[in-house]
Amino acid sequence: MDFAPKRGCPMCGIVSAAAATATSPQSPSNSHNTHEILWRDDNFTVYRETANPVSSKGHVIVVFNLHVPSIYTLSSSDLPLLVTLRDLSYRILSSLQTPASPLSSPISSQPQELLASRPDLRQTFRVGFITPPFKDNKIPVTDHLHAHAYILPADRMGWWRGVAYSSIAWYEVNDLIAEIREETTNNKVRSSANPRPIDYVPDAGARRGTADGIETTDPSLLVTDPERGEANLLPPTPGSSRSRQQSGPSPDATIPHLQV
């Protein structure tokens, strides 16, 4: 599937403007000038919603750098990407609560410490997606995946806008992570306000396969950084929807049989 930038997409414009500013700080960009970019890496661009925030304490938009159309495009191999999105959102919202806290260190370096030290995060912050056909009428983009993250209470939402943030349309990122893990692992207990051990394993449940040992996992959209010791845990699998343009089996494309 092609996730190339789409002409006329507001989110693609924000991503490209942030990238251009990162490489050339003096380059002008109308899209970037109207958005306060808080974070950018190889996977996400995060900006602060200042025009129409749902919370006076803080509301940020986490945009996928790739033009991913919806959450239904994601597969089990994208669990590390969703966990990274969640932890990134928590850290940025925490920095808005405590402006002196730095955001320069790698996000992946301390998610366990952050969750362990702040068990209240899931009760203080909301991170999730608005699923079509619903949309935030102040940010009416439905075909480029982005997450909303904000600090409770949502005192600037309003009742009509609140429909998109209600259980009718809202997909909490922790619920999405839990549902994918339930489908691919034997973890049948949902996460709650108190983190469970499986919540500290970003790639738990990320691989799937058949009973005869053939892996059917699609490669992840996550862009890894070898300089930080990250590795691509999920090689393209023959026959998967994201690897049909590649040929030749991968040496890691099978799940080893257990010797009984």
Side-chain angles (χ1 to χ4, degrees), residues 53-95:
V54 300
S55 169
S56 59
K57 294 184 177 181
H59 178 191
V60 302
I61 311 298
V62 185
V63 185
F64 282 66
N65 290 344
L66 297 176
H67 188 87
V68 180
S70 74
I71 60 173
Y72 304 108
T73 308
L74 304 177
S75 69
S76 62
S77 61
D78 295 311
L79 273 170
L81 187 68
L82 290 172
V83 172
T84 299
L85 182 151
R86 179 197 65 192
D87 296 338
L88 170 60
S89 300
Y90 285 169
R91 280 195 56 197
I92 289 179
L93 292 179
S94 295
S95 73

Short mmCIF file of all heavy atoms in Angstrom, two decimals, residues 53-95:
data_model
loop_
_atom_site.label_atom_id
_atom_site.label_comp_id
_atom_site.label_asym_id
_atom_site.label_seq_id
_atom_site.Cartn_x
_atom_site.Cartn_y
_atom_site.Cartn_z
N PRO A 53 -8.59 24.34 20.96
CA PRO A 53 -8.30 23.20 21.84
C PRO A 53 -9.55 22.76 22.59
O PRO A 53 -10.43 23.57 22.87
CB PRO A 53 -7.25 23.77 22.80
CG PRO A 53 -7.56 25.23 22.86
CD PRO A 53 -8.02 25.60 21.48
N VAL A 54 -9.63 21.47 22.90
CA VAL A 54 -10.76 20.98 23.69
C VAL A 54 -10.50 21.14 25.18
O VAL A 54 -11.41 21.00 25.99
CB VAL A 54 -11.07 19.50 23.36
CG1 VAL A 54 -11.43 19.34 21.90
CG2 VAL A 54 -9.91 18.60 23.75
N SER A 55 -9.25 21.43 25.54
CA SER A 55 -8.88 21.62 26.95
C SER A 55 -8.00 22.84 27.08
O SER A 55 -7.07 23.04 26.29
CB SER A 55 -8.14 20.39 27.48
OG SER A 55 -7.56 20.64 28.74
N SER A 56 -8.30 23.64 28.08
CA SER A 56 -7.47 24.83 28.33
C SER A 56 -6.10 24.45 28.88
O SER A 56 -5.17 25.25 28.84
CB SER A 56 -8.19 25.76 29.31
OG SER A 56 -8.43 25.09 30.55
N LYS A 57 -5.97 23.22 29.38
CA LYS A 57 -4.70 22.77 29.95
C LYS A 57 -3.74 22.23 28.89
O LYS A 57 -2.54 22.15 29.13
CB LYS A 57 -4.95 21.70 31.01
CG LYS A 57 -5.69 22.22 32.24
CD LYS A 57 -5.81 21.14 33.30
CE LYS A 57 -6.48 21.66 34.56
NZ LYS A 57 -6.60 20.62 35.61
N GLY A 58 -4.27 21.83 27.74
CA GLY A 58 -3.40 21.32 26.69
C GLY A 58 -4.09 20.34 25.77
O GLY A 58 -4.78 19.42 26.24
N HIS A 59 -3.92 20.53 24.47
CA HIS A 59 -4.48 19.65 23.45
C HIS A 59 -3.48 19.60 22.31
O HIS A 59 -3.12 20.63 21.73
CB HIS A 59 -5.83 20.20 22.96
CG HIS A 59 -6.48 19.39 21.88
ND1 HIS A 59 -7.57 19.85 21.16
CD2 HIS A 59 -6.20 18.15 21.38
CE1 HIS A 59 -7.94 18.93 20.28
NE2 HIS A 59 -7.11 17.90 20.40
N VAL A 60 -2.96 18.40 22.01
CA VAL A 60 -1.99 18.23 20.93
C VAL A 60 -2.51 17.22 19.92
O VAL A 60 -3.33 16.36 20.24
CB VAL A 60 -0.61 17.79 21.46
CG1 VAL A 60 -0.08 18.79 22.47
CG2 VAL A 60 -0.66 16.40 22.08
N ILE A 61 -2.02 17.36 18.69
CA ILE A 61 -2.37 16.46 17.60
C ILE A 61 -1.11 15.69 17.20
O ILE A 61 -0.08 16.30 16.89
CB ILE A 61 -2.91 17.21 16.37
CG1 ILE A 61 -4.00 18.22 16.79
CG2 ILE A 61 -3.45 16.24 15.34
CD1 ILE A 61 -5.21 17.60 17.43
N VAL A 62 -1.18 14.37 17.24
CA VAL A 62 -0.06 13.51 16.88
C VAL A 62 -0.33 12.97 15.47
O VAL A 62 -1.20 12.12 15.28
CB VAL A 62 0.12 12.35 17.87
CG1 VAL A 62 1.38 11.55 17.55
CG2 VAL A 62 0.18 12.87 19.30
N VAL A 63 0.40 13.49 14.49
CA VAL A 63 0.16 13.17 13.09
C VAL A 63 1.15 12.11 12.62
O VAL A 63 2.36 12.23 12.86
CB VAL A 63 0.30 14.43 12.21
CG1 VAL A 63 -0.05 14.11 10.76
CG2 VAL A 63 -0.57 15.56 12.74
N PHE A 64 0.65 11.06 11.98
CA PHE A 64 1.54 10.08 11.34
C PHE A 64 2.24 10.77 10.17
O PHE A 64 1.59 11.41 9.34
CB PHE A 64 0.73 8.88 10.83
CG PHE A 64 0.34 7.91 11.90
CD1 PHE A 64 -0.55 8.27 12.90
CD2 PHE A 64 0.84 6.62 11.91
CE1 PHE A 64 -0.93 7.37 13.89
CE2 PHE A 64 0.48 5.71 12.89
CZ PHE A 64 -0.40 6.09 13.89
N ASN A 65 3.56 10.62 10.09
CA ASN A 65 4.28 11.23 8.97
C ASN A 65 3.87 10.62 7.63
O ASN A 65 3.81 11.31 6.63
CB ASN A 65 5.79 11.09 9.17
CG ASN A 65 6.30 11.96 10.30
OD1 ASN A 65 5.63 12.88 10.75
ND2 ASN A 65 7.50 11.67 10.77
N LEU A 66 3.60 9.32 7.62
CA LEU A 66 3.10 8.68 6.42
C LEU A 66 1.61 8.99 6.27
O LEU A 66 0.90 9.18 7.25
CB LEU A 66 3.30 7.16 6.50
CG LEU A 66 4.73 6.66 6.57
CD1 LEU A 66 4.75 5.14 6.73
CD2 LEU A 66 5.53 7.07 5.35
N HIS A 67 1.15 9.02 5.03
CA HIS A 67 -0.27 9.28 4.78
C HIS A 67 -1.05 7.98 4.97
O HIS A 67 -1.52 7.35 4.03
CB HIS A 67 -0.48 9.83 3.37
CG HIS A 67 -1.89 10.29 3.11
ND1 HIS A 67 -2.33 11.55 3.40
CD2 HIS A 67 -2.96 9.62 2.62
CE1 HIS A 67 -3.61 11.66 3.08
NE2 HIS A 67 -4.02 10.50 2.61
N VAL A 68 -1.20 7.60 6.24
CA VAL A 68 -1.97 6.39 6.61
C VAL A 68 -3.44 6.79 6.67
O VAL A 68 -3.80 7.72 7.39
CB VAL A 68 -1.49 5.84 7.96
CG1 VAL A 68 -2.27 4.59 8.33
CG2 VAL A 68 0.01 5.56 7.93
N PRO A 69 -4.30 6.12 5.92
CA PRO A 69 -5.70 6.59 5.84
C PRO A 69 -6.53 6.40 7.09
O PRO A 69 -7.39 7.24 7.38
CB PRO A 69 -6.27 5.79 4.66
CG PRO A 69 -5.39 4.60 4.52
CD PRO A 69 -4.03 5.03 4.97
N SER A 70 -6.33 5.32 7.85
CA SER A 70 -7.18 5.09 9.03
C SER A 70 -6.53 4.06 9.94
O SER A 70 -5.55 3.40 9.57
CB SER A 70 -8.57 4.61 8.62
OG SER A 70 -8.53 3.26 8.19
N ILE A 71 -7.12 3.88 11.13
CA ILE A 71 -6.60 2.88 12.05
C ILE A 71 -6.80 1.47 11.50
O ILE A 71 -6.09 0.55 11.91
CB ILE A 71 -7.26 2.99 13.44
CG1 ILE A 71 -8.78 2.79 13.34
CG2 ILE A 71 -6.93 4.31 14.11
CD1 ILE A 71 -9.48 2.71 14.70
N TYR A 72 -7.73 1.31 10.57
CA TYR A 72 -7.99 -0.02 10.01
C TYR A 72 -6.90 -0.44 9.03
O TYR A 72 -6.88 -1.58 8.58
CB TYR A 72 -9.36 -0.04 9.35
CG TYR A 72 -10.46 0.37 10.31
CD1 TYR A 72 -11.10 1.60 10.19
CD2 TYR A 72 -10.82 -0.45 11.38
CE1 TYR A 72 -12.08 2.00 11.10
CE2 TYR A 72 -11.80 -0.06 12.29
CZ TYR A 72 -12.42 1.16 12.14
OH TYR A 72 -13.38 1.55 13.04
N THR A 73 -5.99 0.47 8.73
CA THR A 73 -4.83 0.14 7.90
C THR A 73 -3.75 -0.53 8.75
O THR A 73 -2.91 -1.26 8.22
CB THR A 73 -4.26 1.42 7.26
OG1 THR A 73 -5.31 2.12 6.59
CG2 THR A 73 -3.17 1.10 6.26
N LEU A 74 -3.79 -0.30 10.05
CA LEU A 74 -2.76 -0.83 10.94
C LEU A 74 -2.95 -2.33 11.15
O LEU A 74 -4.07 -2.83 11.09
CB LEU A 74 -2.81 -0.11 12.29
CG LEU A 74 -2.67 1.41 12.25
CD1 LEU A 74 -2.83 1.99 13.65
CD2 LEU A 74 -1.34 1.83 11.65
N SER A 75 -1.85 -3.02 11.41
CA SER A 75 -1.90 -4.45 11.68
C SER A 75 -1.25 -4.72 13.02
O SER A 75 -0.78 -3.81 13.72
CB SER A 75 -1.16 -5.22 10.57
OG SER A 75 0.24 -4.98 10.63
N SER A 76 -1.18 -5.98 13.41
CA SER A 76 -0.59 -6.33 14.70
C SER A 76 0.87 -5.92 14.77
O SER A 76 1.38 -5.61 15.86
CB SER A 76 -0.71 -7.84 14.93
OG SER A 76 0.00 -8.56 13.94
N SER A 77 1.57 -5.88 13.63
CA SER A 77 2.98 -5.49 13.64
C SER A 77 3.17 -4.03 14.00
O SER A 77 4.29 -3.60 14.28
CB SER A 77 3.61 -5.79 12.27
OG SER A 77 2.96 -5.05 11.25
N ASP A 78 2.09 -3.25 13.98
CA ASP A 78 2.19 -1.83 14.31
C ASP A 78 1.96 -1.55 15.79
O ASP A 78 1.84 -0.39 16.19
CB ASP A 78 1.19 -1.02 13.47
CG ASP A 78 1.52 -1.08 11.99
OD1 ASP A 78 2.69 -0.84 11.65
OD2 ASP A 78 0.62 -1.37 11.19
N LEU A 79 1.89 -2.60 16.61
CA LEU A 79 1.75 -2.39 18.06
C LEU A 79 2.88 -1.53 18.63
O LEU A 79 2.60 -0.61 19.41
CB LEU A 79 1.70 -3.74 18.78
CG LEU A 79 0.32 -4.39 18.90
CD1 LEU A 79 0.44 -5.81 19.41
CD2 LEU A 79 -0.58 -3.58 19.83
N PRO A 80 4.15 -1.77 18.28
CA PRO A 80 5.21 -0.89 18.81
C PRO A 80 4.99 0.57 18.41
O PRO A 80 5.31 1.47 19.18
CB PRO A 80 6.49 -1.47 18.20
CG PRO A 80 6.17 -2.89 17.92
CD PRO A 80 4.73 -2.90 17.51
N LEU A 81 4.44 0.78 17.22
CA LEU A 81 4.17 2.14 16.76
C LEU A 81 3.09 2.80 17.61
O LEU A 81 3.20 3.97 18.01
CB LEU A 81 3.73 2.11 15.29
CG LEU A 81 3.56 3.45 14.58
CD1 LEU A 81 4.91 4.14 14.41
CD2 LEU A 81 2.91 3.25 13.22
N LEU A 82 2.04 2.05 17.94
CA LEU A 82 0.96 2.58 18.78
C LEU A 82 1.44 2.84 20.21
O LEU A 82 1.06 3.83 20.83
CB LEU A 82 -0.22 1.61 18.79
CG LEU A 82 -1.00 1.49 17.48
CD1 LEU A 82 -2.02 0.36 17.56
CD2 LEU A 82 -1.71 2.80 17.16
N VAL A 83 2.28 1.94 20.72
CA VAL A 83 2.83 2.14 22.07
C VAL A 83 3.72 3.38 22.08
O VAL A 83 3.69 4.18 23.04
CB VAL A 83 3.61 0.89 22.53
CG1 VAL A 83 4.35 1.17 23.84
CG2 VAL A 83 2.67 -0.29 22.69
N THR A 84 4.51 3.57 21.02
CA THR A 84 5.35 4.76 20.93
C THR A 84 4.48 6.02 20.88
O THR A 84 4.79 7.03 21.53
CB THR A 84 6.23 4.70 19.67
OG1 THR A 84 7.09 3.56 19.76
CG2 THR A 84 7.08 5.95 19.54
N LEU A 85 3.39 5.96 20.13
CA LEU A 85 2.46 7.10 20.05
C LEU A 85 1.89 7.43 21.43
O LEU A 85 1.84 8.60 21.84
CB LEU A 85 1.34 6.79 19.07
CG LEU A 85 0.29 7.88 18.80
CD1 LEU A 85 -0.26 7.74 17.38
CD2 LEU A 85 -0.88 7.82 19.79
N ARG A 86 1.48 6.40 22.15
CA ARG A 86 0.91 6.62 23.48
C ARG A 86 1.93 7.24 24.43
O ARG A 86 1.65 8.23 25.11
CB ARG A 86 0.42 5.29 24.06
CG ARG A 86 -0.17 5.40 25.46
CD ARG A 86 -0.26 4.04 26.12
NE ARG A 86 1.07 3.48 26.36
CZ ARG A 86 1.28 2.22 26.71
NH1 ARG A 86 0.26 1.38 26.85
NH2 ARG A 86 2.51 1.77 26.93
N ASP A 87 3.15 6.66 24.47
CA ASP A 87 4.17 7.15 25.39
C ASP A 87 4.63 8.55 25.01
O ASP A 87 4.90 9.39 25.89
CB ASP A 87 5.36 6.19 25.42
CG ASP A 87 4.99 4.82 25.96
OD1 ASP A 87 3.97 4.74 26.68
OD2 ASP A 87 5.70 3.84 25.68
N LEU A 88 4.72 8.82 23.71
CA LEU A 88 5.08 10.16 23.24
C LEU A 88 4.02 11.16 23.68
O LEU A 88 4.34 12.26 24.18
CB LEU A 88 5.21 10.14 21.72
CG LEU A 88 5.34 11.49 21.01
CD1 LEU A 88 6.58 12.22 21.49
CD2 LEU A 88 5.39 11.29 19.49
N SER A 89 2.75 10.81 23.54
CA SER A 89 1.66 11.71 23.94
C SER A 89 1.71 11.98 25.43
O SER A 89 1.55 13.14 25.87
CB SER A 89 0.32 11.08 23.56
OG SER A 89 0.22 10.86 22.17
N TYR A 90 1.93 10.93 26.23
CA TYR A 90 2.01 11.11 27.68
C TYR A 90 3.14 12.07 28.05
O TYR A 90 2.99 12.93 28.92
CB TYR A 90 2.22 9.77 28.37
CG TYR A 90 1.01 8.88 28.46
CD1 TYR A 90 1.11 7.55 28.85
CD2 TYR A 90 -0.26 9.36 28.14
CE1 TYR A 90 -0.01 6.73 28.94
CE2 TYR A 90 -1.38 8.55 28.22
CZ TYR A 90 -1.24 7.23 28.62
OH TYR A 90 -2.35 6.43 28.70
N ARG A 91 4.28 11.90 27.42
CA ARG A 91 5.42 12.73 27.76
C ARG A 91 5.19 14.18 27.36
O ARG A 91 5.56 15.11 28.09
CB ARG A 91 6.70 12.20 27.09
CG ARG A 91 7.32 11.02 27.82
CD ARG A 91 8.74 10.78 27.35
NE ARG A 91 9.55 11.97 27.49
CZ ARG A 91 10.71 12.16 26.87
NH1 ARG A 91 11.16 11.24 26.04
NH2 ARG A 91 11.41 13.25 27.05
N ILE A 92 4.59 14.39 26.19
CA ILE A 92 4.35 15.77 25.74
C ILE A 92 3.31 16.44 26.62
O ILE A 92 3.47 17.61 27.02
CB ILE A 92 3.92 15.79 24.26
CG1 ILE A 92 5.12 15.42 23.38
CG2 ILE A 92 3.37 17.14 23.87
CD1 ILE A 92 4.82 15.37 21.91
N LEU A 93 2.23 15.73 26.97
CA LEU A 93 1.22 16.31 27.85
C LEU A 93 1.81 16.58 29.24
O LEU A 93 1.49 17.59 29.88
CB LEU A 93 0.01 15.38 27.95
CG LEU A 93 -0.82 15.23 26.67
CD1 LEU A 93 -1.97 14.25 26.89
CD2 LEU A 93 -1.36 16.56 26.18
N SER A 94 2.69 15.68 29.71
CA SER A 94 3.36 15.91 30.99
C SER A 94 4.22 17.17 30.93
O SER A 94 4.29 17.93 31.90
CB SER A 94 4.23 14.71 31.37
OG SER A 94 3.45 13.56 31.59
N SER A 95 4.86 17.40 29.79
CA SER A 95 5.70 18.59 29.64
C SER A 95 4.85 19.85 29.62
O SER A 95 5.32 20.92 30.05
CB SER A 95 6.55 18.50 28.37
OG SER A 95 5.75 18.70 27.22
#
